[in-house]
Amino acid sequence: MSLIVQKYGGSSVADLERIRMVASRIRRYFLEGHSVVVVVSAMGKTTDALLAMAQELHPLPPEREVDMLLATGEQVSVALLSIALFAQGVPSVSLTGGQAGIITTDTHTKARILRVQVERILRYLREGKVVIVAGFQGITEDGEITTLGRGGSDTTACALAAALQAEVCEIYTDVEGVFTADPRIVPKARKILRISYDEMSEMASLGAKVLQLRAVDFARLYRVRVHVRSTFSENEGTWVEEVENMEDVKVRAITHNLDVVKVVLLGVPDKPGVAALVLRTLVDCAVSLDMIIQSEGREGKKDIAFVIPREDKGKVHKALESLQKMLPLEGVTFDEGVGKVSVVGAGVANDPRIAFRMFDTLARLGVNIDMISTSNLRISCLIPRDRVAESVSALHETFIEDSEVMLREGS
Ligand code: ADP
Ligand code: ASP
Ligand code: MG
């Protein structure tokens, strides 16, 4: 029988009733004879609640302590799930990330998995137990508890599936799979049956929360087959795997991200080395950047603008304050009233008609595009935050719904 890894997200274990339901599903696989390793997130919105408490005490709490705090969320849910399995007569054992052998870097709140020591998990599996691992957390070589960034339980699951060479990594969540847009915003969004690692990676990096970006990277690197599906139904979900013949695919999905902030450095000296100095400052605080643009120089000065994740705003603010001591700036602004919409698909940026149709769709809505960025797999626009939902719907209509009509008419 095969070894499978199953990951249950926060909403799947939000209360005791749901934990019982999850335990029953695991029991079924166990009774079929599979070896089952389960990864669980914290219950419901626990992580948000813990973080809010920390931030009430201090707006920039020490990251080591944040990790200590957040890791408790997953520890609660693994223990409860193990007890629920015990109640259903299934032998199981719960483990923290550290106990499960997940060794990470020491970048608190955004640690990366360095390796997984699977001996202990394998021993429990040989003893006939279901192994339940706390998602989103690991331990450094020095025994410090770390977390893997929001949504990190997906990464725990894919890393374990890779290390254990599992047959499949099942990601159980509150939607039926990966859709052509967030189904909560676009009711007409359709489930994608198969998607390539590359496209999924792009969607994840552009805000489709359904899988964490690092999880997709692990899956791609170790060729883990990922099945994203619903905890609340038996339906087949989305397979993330190697997909051949992507050339004929155009727009695969529309994604959006509301958790972004636009930062502008005004009146930066227009001379060599300045952009590098700015970037250096941001890299040092482990911030991921997007859409970096520089304005034309004027009177020896220019502006530099970029987009950061909302959760990094406090850190970036602090880092730029110290930058201002080295570099004379006219000012720094943070704009939270923005959001990013993207069209994703293999080769979209190679076809100028796609960019035209994207800009045209936004223009018809009267939505002003603030910044644009492209890669081989996507075109993204920064627009006003309060126009994001309608823009996603309109882009979905242009690229997904209308192209289906064309296909049907053409066939
Ligand atoms: P979990 O707690 O199970 O990890 P998440 O909230 O992290 O669940 O991710 C699932 C959510 O991702 C869905 O509820 C959905 O609103 C959102 N989502 C965003 N984009 C997509 C998409 N393209 N397909 C499916 N879900 C998406
Ligand atoms: N509980 C963590 C979070 O809310 C990790 C996860 O759910 O994957 O981000
Ligand atoms: Mg998640």
Side-chain angles (χ1 to χ4, degrees), residues 7-12 41 154 172-175 177-184 203 207-210 254-256:
K7 176 257 170 176
Y8 293 91
S11 49
S12 308
S41 295
D154 298 329
Y172 285 95
T173 183
D174 56 2
V175 286
V178 180
F179 281 67
T180 48
D182 186 341
R184 293 186 201 288
M203 283 178 73
K209 281 192 309 178
V210 65
I254 312 298
T255 54
H256 71 282

Side-chain angles (χ1 to χ4, degrees), residues 133-262:
V133 179
F136 170 60
Q137 56 177 265
I139 200 163
T140 65
E141 307 276 6
D142 295 335
E144 289 290 314
I145 292 174
T146 51
T147 64
L148 309 178
R150 299 305 306 269
S153 299
D154 298 329
T155 300
T156 306
C158 287
L160 283 175
L164 294 163
Q165 299 182 352
E167 181 140 311
V168 59
C169 181
E170 295 187 317
I171 304 286
Y172 285 95
T173 183
D174 56 2
V175 286
E176 294 255 331
V178 180
F179 281 67
T180 48
D182 186 341
R184 293 186 201 288
I185 294 212
V186 183
K188 284 189 181 161
R190 290 191 335 157
K191 184 162 71 186
I192 301 170
L193 298 178
R194 291 175 73 220
I195 188 165
S196 70
Y197 294 117
D198 287 345
E199 288 169 314
M200 190 65 239
S201 168
E202 205 69 30
M203 283 178 73
S205 77
L206 294 169
K209 281 192 309 178
V210 65
L211 267 185
Q212 202 204 30
L213 176 59
R214 292 274 302 136
V216 188
D217 291 344
F218 259 105
R220 173 169 41 194
L221 191 60
Y222 296 97
R223 290 290 180 260
V224 176
R225 292 182 76 213
V226 178
H227 186 189
V228 182
R229 54 189 305 197
S230 168
T231 310
F232 308 106
S233 84
E234 294 300 321
N235 298 338
E236 186 164 1
T238 301
W239 287 93
V240 186
E241 56 195 1
E242 198 55 60
V243 178
E244 309 285 327
N245 299 330
M246 287 206 313
E247 296 83 45
D248 50 343
V249 177
K250 282 281 159 64
V251 176
R252 175 69 92 169
I254 312 298
T255 54
H256 71 282
N257 193 348
L258 293 174
D259 296 321
V260 291
V261 176
K262 176 184 168 186

